[in-house]
Amino acid sequence: MDATAPPLLPERFSRWFESRGWSPRAHQLELLETARTRHSVLLIAPTGAGKTLAGFLPSLVALSQRPRRKPGSAGARQGVHTLYISPLKALAVDIARNLEAPVAGIGLDIRIETRTGDTPAHKRQRQKQVPPDILLTTPEQIALLLSDAQGREILASVDTVILDELHALVTSKRGDLLALGLAALRRIAPSLRSIGLSATVAEPDDLRAWLVPQREGAPRALSDLVTVAGGAEPDITILDSDERLPWSGHSARHAVPDIYRIIARHRTSLVFVNTRSQAEMLFQALWHANEDNLPIALHHGSLDVGQRRKVEAAMASGALRAIVCTSSLDLGIDWGDVDLVINVGAPKGASRLAQRIGRANHRMDEPSRAILVPANRFEVLECKAALDASRAGKQDTPPLRKGALDVLAQHVLGCACAGPFDPLELFDEIRSAETYRDLSWERFEQVVDFVATGGYALRTYDRYARLKRQPDGRFRLSHPKVAQQYRLNVGTIVEAPMLKVRLVRSKSEGRRTPIGRGGRMLGEIEEWFVEQLALGDTFLFAGEILRFEGLRENEAYVSRARAEAPKIPSYQGGKFPLSTYLAAGVRAMLADPASWRELPDQVREWLEIQKLRSALPQPYGLLVETFPRADKHYLVCYPFEGRLAHQTLGMLLTRRLERIGAQPMGFVANDYALAVWGLADLDALIARGQLSLDQLFDEDMLGDDLDAWLAESSLMKRTFRTCAVIAGLIERRHPGQEKSGRQVTVSADLIYDVLRRHEPDHILLQATFADAATGLLDISRLGELLARIRGRIAHTPLARVSPLAVPVMLEIGKEPVFGEAQEALLAGAAGDLVKEAME
Amino acid sequence: MRPFLARNEARRFAPVCHDISIAGEIVGLHDSGAMWWPDEHTLVVADLHFEKGSSFARKGLMLPPYDTAATLEKLAEAIDAFQPTRVIALGDSFHDREGSDRLPVAYRAMLTTLQLGREWIWVTGNHDPIAPVGLCGETVDEVALGGLVFRHEPHGDSPLGEIAGHLHPAARIRRYGRSVRRPCFATDGTRLVLPAFGVFTGGLNVLDEAWGPYFPAREFSVFMLGEGRLYPFTATRLVAD
């Protein structure tokens, strides 16, 4: 292969490739080519394609060719040549390690360092004095460097920015922060070009536009694109269990023996689940089945960091046979020898599933193997839709988000921290970022005003302004302490308040003895979850059944429990709602009995009886069933738009039903359906003309009804708190501050109430609404649904519950019930319901 | 901003109070968080924290500047409803020492209007240990009336019934797997601690250790603020944060 070695690659590089028995791949050479043209480029490649090396190769070559610098000379204070930015701290560290081999093997004199939240202060300071050639870091660190004149200095020399896992970065506010940082970098280092590394996405052009500066009035600018075809087709199957398929629930307990047998037959399996509590449950169940004592581990984001690192190290060294994990392992880190991915529960999205499956087998030419394990009947349909999508090569990554205003406020303050800024220049810079190109001057002025004085119509804070306008029109910080506040507050990740979980001796063993201090730390758990626990309650955490012993400051004390059945963390649903694409797939499948042939017998039978008893949901309409049960009346509908949109719909429907006197008592939602119940007979109301389903589901519910609900919605308040912290209106809670007591801090809820009443158009409320529309309330998707079903509501009055309604009806009692009457928990065992529907 | 004094037409309902006895005196607890003492025609409010927003703004956190107006509005409603001849503000009426000095002219005028024709007592608090600047009313560290003594911070044994603020009591109850946290009145029959009246004031759970010296061993009751009513609970029914 030496004869064909391309001139793009210097000799010592090709020698290195040869020595490893490799030859440079086509896309690696293509990326080298773009270094000559100086074009920015997006590389889309499946895992295992040598994506990271391809990204770094141009920089390594360029650095190998620069003139040798003398130690101690002025040249030693060159700035950073290449920035590598990843969404995960761990990934930056991992990549640094992986780069050592080629750098040493080729014999390059290149300094590579990481800079993350864990980097000690003295090292960060030294990096500013003596910057490395390649700096591996995170979006937050870029923001911090940019907020400081010295930091900007070492970034002025940046030649290349490599953005890893770009598809994952751009979907969140961290992506917004990074987009703004990249725009600022481009102004400091005008010759900079960017290289995006991404998994396969639905709209590559979105990412290509994201990578390059946009110009006012000009057509959308795009980077170059290099695509690597997706190796061998993955080998995906759906587990066909002989066990009875559950009607609802997400634990997949029925399939545990099957999963265990599969694990035993493979070298190393990654077992993905959707939530922490599912991970805990499945891990526990697998250990019960673990007769051969196979090394099976647990990994999720709430576990103690030390524990997680141990599991990761064991995984990397091949000591584990299986690891049960959540999305904490979705991204990039190389695990070596995984030969099977088991996805338990709903895949939620086709691209999401493809990325998980990509974690199996990092050699491109062999097919990845994956088994999907549906946990209930609806999930069988969802798995089937995901499988079809995978075979057809379809992607359903979300569309590019619009840049958030709270993040913009944080960025504007950061810019001021680095030195006075000219508003017009900054405006142009910001609009060069694809996600902020539609930002209007008025909105930008509002944001600057918010940063300066809070942006209130009542201008009482001018004398306390954080930004002052200079005579030359530029804005500067009013006081250096503002920069300190900024640095403490930087970043877009606002965690739900967490409590540390500490293991202690049980109090029940000696009633009077106080709880011992200083036990082992197991990890962290959300405050809301602990709030639900009573002393003595048991729950699963860190793979053990624990007993809640009490609270001390910000720690939850727990002891080992011998309970057989723990009170399990309530299922909060996947963080990710069912993708629109898969939802359409499921609807199409339901409406087409011919496609049922490929479904398991139990599922087919279930749908056949539904067809007989009620009706099938149609792709573009909405099936609404009404039926009495016990002394209540139920309305069940099947929008398939994900749990969040259904919850919002449930809130609004109950408000409307309340108004027309239907006495609604509560509702419950899952990813597929929504059930509302109340005291009044809905069929009778319809017959008397007092209720029209078309009006009930009319789009106008997104007007006043939504507005009235938002005023009191706790989801909205939670969203507001996040925005307020990011925008710098209230301070983050830092560890160690917990003791200062709640009465001293200002609650975001109170601010929300006051702001809504006195300044409903405030920029932060705009930001909150924009978040809620796509986030916890999923209003945008609800809007699409209401538009789609207008005039297409198929009402089917029934005498009793239908087969399709059983899963959501079974959620009643397990899921928190919404609505005024919380006591309306449905009596009647699950068995009765099923019998009633199927006989 | 909404008009502030155009409130008279809203005065349709007689205020509903939950009557309790503190050291033998009958006092009414109102869902606004105020206490009404009918025998003395006295309205008592605690922890108004006027100008908390601007206090934070001075430190670079630009909280909405509407807190003083909103608290004043709430206070005006209570005064309008009860028509007291005497008002006692139980300390921490201003969020900091300079708070009364910073009070914008418009709010100063509103407050003065509220004070017209009635006795007004500013009890000092830890946030505002000095008399407010340029406002009517008498400033005292504590005041005894009838069988009751009024002070900001509750303390030790007192032969009289004690009415205090300072602690911003809040309580949490749990039901059906969900929990509700609200500001509340807390009392053991001889001492009553009022919830904070100011709109930007958070609460401290009554089961927090800080409450130990005042109400030991859960032998007290709370009255949680609701919409148009109060929800009484004994402390044994409550849960910690």
Side-chain angles (χ1 to χ4, degrees), chain A residues 560-602:
Chain A
R560 287 212 172 84
R562 274 172 299 231
E564 277 294 306
K567 176 193 159 107
I568 291 155
S570 74
Y571 177 68
Q572 287 296 298
K575 269 185 270 173
F576 309 90
L578 176 66
S579 84
T580 329
Y581 180 82
L582 284 193
V586 171
R587 278 197 304 266
M589 206 183 307
L590 278 172
D592 175 21
S595 70
W596 301 350
R597 275 193 315 268
E598 293 174 48
L599 297 173
D601 293 347
Q602 299 175 44

Side-chain angles (χ1 to χ4, degrees), chain A residues 21-22 53 73 100 107 287 328 387-388 421 442 479 519 557-558 578 665-666 693 722:
Chain A
W22 297 346
L53 184 58
S73 71
E100 278 168 19
W287 267 100
S328 62
L387 189 58
D388 292 346
F421 69 80
E442 291 69 31
H479 198 282
Y557 283 9
V558 298
L578 176 66
M665 296 179 68
L693 289 181
T722 306

Side-chain angles (χ1 to χ4, degrees), chain B residues 95-116:
Chain B
H95 190 69
D96 57 59
R97 276 168 180 269
E98 293 81 31
S100 58
D101 203 23
R102 282 202 308 276
L103 194 66
V105 175
Y107 302 154
R108 189 176 295 276
M110 292 175 193
L111 192 50
T112 307
T113 314
L114 288 181
Q115 293 181 319
L116 275 183

Side-chain angles (χ1 to χ4, degrees), chain A residues 646-687:
Chain A
H646 293 172
Q647 260 178 30
T648 303
L649 178 62
M651 287 290 181
L652 299 177
L653 285 186
T654 42
R655 276 181 174 273
R656 300 193 138 195
L657 288 169
E658 182 98 57
R659 213 163 40 225
I660 56 168
Q663 303 173 62
M665 296 179 68
F667 70 86
V668 67
N670 62 16
D671 258 352
Y672 318 102
L674 165 74
V676 186
W677 62 91
L679 296 176
D681 180 351
L682 298 176
D683 294 342
L685 287 174
I686 292 171

Side-chain angles (χ1 to χ4, degrees), chain A residues 30-41 54-55 57-59 81 83 158-163 182 186 189-196 211-212 224:
Chain A
E30 277 183 75
L31 252 66
L32 279 171
E33 181 63 44
T34 63
R36 292 199 173 163
T37 60
R38 299 296 303 163
H39 289 173
S40 292
V41 58
L57 216 43
S59 295
H81 177 277
L83 273 178
V158 170
D159 173 90
T160 305
V161 180
I162 303 170
L163 302 146
L182 194 59
R186 283 197 203 101
S191 65
L192 165 155
R193 74 181 190 109
S194 43
I195 300 178
L211 285 171
V212 293
D224 288 0

Side-chain angles (χ1 to χ4, degrees), chain A residues 59 63 171 199 284 300 360 382 459 530 614 626 675 684 708 763 803 825:
Chain A
S59 295
L63 284 165
T171 56
Q284 188 77 12
H300 61 67
E382 198 181 317
R459 306 219 53 95
V530 177
S614 172
T626 48
I763 192 95
L825 295 178

Side-chain angles (χ1 to χ4, degrees), chain A residues 452-454 456-458 460-461 464-466 481 485 531-534 551 728-731 742-746 750-751 754-755 757-759 817 822-823 825, chain B residues 1-2 52-54 56-67 70 73 102 107 168 172 174-179 181 199-204 209 241:
Chain A
T453 64
Y456 303 107
L458 193 68
T460 50
Y461 290 167
Y464 311 123
R466 296 192 288 189
K481 75 175 184 211
Q485 270 173 354
E531 278 168 8
Q532 297 179 33
L533 296 175
L551 272 178
L729 181 69
I730 54 177
E731 287 179 304
R742 286 175 191 243
Q743 80 274 34
V744 188
T745 60
V746 182
L750 299 174
I751 299 175
V754 165
L755 210 48
R757 248 180 78 203
H758 293 269
E759 214 158 310
V817 173
Q822 295 180 15
E823 74 277 6
L825 295 178
Chain B
M1 247 188 57
R2 48 181 59 192
K52 182 164 179 174
S54 63
F56 273 75
R58 289 200 303 177
K59 290 182 267 171
L61 295 172
M62 304 294 169
L63 300 187
Y66 305 108
D67 58 316
E73 205 171 295
R102 282 202 308 276
Y107 302 154
H168 300 202
R172 185 188 288 284
R174 186 180 45 228
R175 230 169 162 208
Y176 305 119
R178 298 167 78 189
S179 76
R181 191 182 196 272
V199 295
F200 269 1
T201 48
L204 176 67
E209 285 169 10
D241 281 335

